[in-house]
């Protein structure tokens, strides 16, 4: 795969992520998009990102797109380009739009678990701002998006 | 969507320019019908993906990857959108 093809595949993957986020309600849409944007930009800006790292990066984000995309739309939102099957290497058990299974968390590396914890903290901080009680509302169950 | 027909190029240009002006990293005063996203407006490849997605929302079309890959200026966006009979 040439560098140009690789760059195009990465941009197509990014497009599929932005497209999947467009179907999410706020604040998940904004949170997801800014997280993805930062991650992609960091990898693109780092000249030292190796081909193997790109492969893993792309593979993880493809799983993410499959996890958040509604089943009916999953085929059209697939990133295309070089498809990398890494089954057995990465944790299984991610349901569409659902919770991570115990098995999936169990199978993660320490780095992945740290990343998950970081994402959870960011999400909580973001959510705390987005769902701050207003005008005496208690900000409880009723305020959660579907 | 039947015979919706093609959109008027001047109106498409106006709407495309408006969408680009609203993009948060763009200096609105720099946007013109001849602007290129990278050289003139300082957008990188990820920004460009997001701008092209914003055109999709504005014109209610899904631009296929092969076409979206080629759009890197206001004029190229206008050319695609005026050639797509589904653009609204």
């Amino acid at each position: 795969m040439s560098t140009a093809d690789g760059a195009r595949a990465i941009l197509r993957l990014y497009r599929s992520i932005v497209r999947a986020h467009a179907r999410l309600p706020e604040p998940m849409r904004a949170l997801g998009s800014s997280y993805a944007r930062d991650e992609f930009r960091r990898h693109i800006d780092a000249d030292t990102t190796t081909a193997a790292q790109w492969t893993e990066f792309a593979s993880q984000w493809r799983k993410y797109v499959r996890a958040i995309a509604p089943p009916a739309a999953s085929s059209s939102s697939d990133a295309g380009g070089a498809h990398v099957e890494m089954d057995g290497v990465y944790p299984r058990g991610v349901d569409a739009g659902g919770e991570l299974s115990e098995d999936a968390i169990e199978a993660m590396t320490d780095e992945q678990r740290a990343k998950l914890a970081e994402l959870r903290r960011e999400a909580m901080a973001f959510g705390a701002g987005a769902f701050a009680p207003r005008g005496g509302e208690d900000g409880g169950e009723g305020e959660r998006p579907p | 969507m039947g015979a919706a027909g093609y959109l008027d190029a001047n109106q498409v240009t106006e709407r495309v320019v408006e969408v680009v002006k609203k993009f948060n990293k763009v200096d609105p005063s720099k946007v013109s019908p001849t602007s290129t996203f990278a050289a003139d407006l300082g957008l990188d490849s990820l920004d460009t993906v997001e701008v092209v997605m914003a055109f999709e929302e504005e014109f209610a079309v899904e631009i296929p990857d092969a076409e979206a890959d080629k759009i890197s200026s206001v004029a190229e966006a206008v050319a695609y959108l005026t050639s797509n009979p589904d653009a609204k």
Side-chain angles (χ1 to χ4, degrees):
Chain A
M1 185 160 74
S2 76
T3 307
D5 285 345
R8 194 178 306 122
I10 289 296
L11 289 176
R12 287 180 175 191
L13 173 59
Y14 184 65
R15 186 176 298 126
S16 72
I17 293 165
V18 176
R19 195 165 269 151
H21 284 157
R23 298 193 198 94
L24 297 177
E26 297 290 3
M28 277 90 91
R29 178 179 180 165
L31 174 67
S33 295
S34 69
Y35 184 77
R37 191 183 303 122
D38 291 348
E39 283 287 297
F40 274 73
R41 185 152 287 134
R42 257 197 290 276
H43 276 71
I44 288 172
D45 290 349
D47 294 337
T48 54
T49 305
T50 64
Q53 286 168 333
W54 273 121
T55 301
E56 173 163 340
F57 181 80
S59 170
Q60 294 287 359
W61 278 105
R62 285 202 180 91
K63 280 185 187 295
Y64 170 79
V65 171
R66 282 199 289 274
I68 66 167
S74 60
S75 62
S76 68
S77 68
D78 195 44
H83 187 71
V84 186
E85 268 306 329
M86 302 295 273
D87 282 350
V89 178
Y90 293 105
R92 310 291 304 263
V94 181
D95 298 321
E99 303 282 326
L100 281 170
S101 70
E102 291 289 331
D103 285 352
I105 294 172
E106 195 71 25
M108 285 180 172
T109 64
D110 286 347
E111 192 186 348
Q112 286 172 321
R113 268 191 284 263
K115 192 61 141 180
L116 185 64
E118 182 195 332
L119 185 56
R120 183 178 289 135
R121 270 197 305 279
E122 284 185 32
M124 297 298 274
F126 191 88
F131 296 121
R134 289 170 309 218
E137 292 284 320
D138 63 8
E141 292 288 338
E143 291 235 24
R144 283 169 58 180
Chain B
M1 300 302 145
Y6 297 95
L7 297 175
D8 175 74
N10 289 331
Q11 284 172 13
V12 170
T13 303
E14 213 170 283
R15 286 166 68 194
V16 166
V17 166
E18 279 311 305
V19 168
V20 177
K21 280 183 179 175
K22 278 190 214 142
F23 194 70
N24 56 11
K25 284 188 190 153
V26 165
D27 176 353
S29 67
K30 287 188 183 165
V31 183
S32 80
T34 60
S35 299
T36 59
F37 300 149
D40 296 337
L41 303 177
L43 299 181
D44 69 15
S45 53
L46 296 181
D47 296 326
T48 298
V49 167
E50 292 183 42
V51 168
V52 172
M53 289 291 303
F55 299 146
E56 293 193 359
E57 290 193 15
E58 166 67 19
F59 291 89
V61 287
E62 185 158 320
I63 305 176
D65 279 336
E67 300 296 331
D69 287 343
K70 291 187 274 187
I71 299 176
S72 62
S73 67
V74 171
E76 284 164 0
V78 171
Y80 173 78
L81 291 162
T82 52
S83 70
N84 185 336
D86 292 331
K88 288 172 200 69

